[in-house]
Amino acid sequence: DEALAFGLYCYALRDLGCEKLYGRRLPAALAALDLSLRRHAPALHAHLSSCGFDPQLYAVEWLSALFVVSVPRTLSLAVLDLLFAGLEDAPIRVAVAILRQAEKPLLRLKTLDDLVAGFKPAVRAVRPKLVLIDVLRVANRVPLLASPASPKSARSNAVETPFGEGIVTG
């Protein structure tokens, strides 16, 4: 039913924090993804960056559609489950986990043209179960956002993320 779908969409935006992935806040989400990828898959991050394949080229579609059009259906439904379960930073964690699972084939793509042609097939080939295991496994290694009341010495690592200001500690 169309009314029910719209109500669910409003709930996701308002109550699950998904509005943080749209409009003026999208650059902060892309920056959080870039930071997380640099921390958790440094070789892949360096490779994508050196080829000029920035998160804007793939993650805008992922985040704005919550992966529904980009990954196998099982995984896109699991992303929604993670959000409904209260995992506020699920989209960033899932994006990093997808990239980590697709790392080997992505590293074989040597140029920007190769990445543009081969990125979506590499991502579509990931196994949803392995991505979800990685999402849960790396949960404590995703940059942790401490409260703004953290010690002054940590304030030099202050970042604005789509989930509020925080201190990168992990």
Side-chain angles (χ1 to χ4, degrees):
D1 166 73
E2 195 172 303
L4 184 60
F6 182 72
L8 187 58
Y9 175 72
C10 291
Y11 172 75
L13 287 176
R14 206 177 34 237
D15 297 335
L16 299 180
C18 292
E19 82 284 350
K20 297 171 183 173
L21 303 173
Y22 295 96
R24 294 181 315 232
R25 295 181 179 184
L26 181 60
L30 295 172
L33 172 57
D34 191 59
L35 174 66
S36 292
L37 184 60
R38 186 173 356 133
R39 288 176 169 267
H40 303 298
L44 180 59
H45 180 271
H47 174 67
L48 296 176
S49 294
S50 71
C51 291
F53 199 71
D54 297 322
Q56 295 90 316
L57 297 177
Y58 57 89
V60 171
E61 178 180 286
W62 286 0
L63 299 176
S64 63
L66 287 175
F67 302 90
V68 170
V69 297
S70 310
V71 299
R73 182 178 176 173
T74 306
L75 183 54
S76 66
L77 291 173
V79 171
L80 294 174
D81 287 342
L82 291 170
L83 284 168
F84 291 134
L87 189 61
E88 190 175 88
D89 62 345
I92 302 300
R93 289 186 190 189
V94 170
V96 171
I98 288 170
L99 292 167
R100 285 166 47 108
Q101 291 301 314
E103 185 168 11
K104 287 180 184 175
L106 292 175
L107 288 174
R108 287 193 290 268
L109 303 172
K110 298 298 182 187
T111 67
L112 178 60
D113 289 340
D114 292 343
L115 282 163
V116 169
F119 185 82
K120 284 188 178 187
V123 165
R124 282 213 164 268
V126 299
R127 294 180 51 205
K129 181 178 179 181
L130 297 178
V131 170
L132 293 172
I133 289 169
D134 202 29
V135 166
L136 299 174
R137 183 183 301 140
V138 301
N140 292 329
R141 293 185 294 176
V142 169
L144 302 174
L145 298 177
S147 70
S150 296
K152 293 266 188 216
S153 62
R155 300 298 274 156
S156 63
N157 292 330
V159 293
E160 180 62 35
T161 75
F163 306 104
E165 182 181 341
I167 309 299
V168 178
T169 61

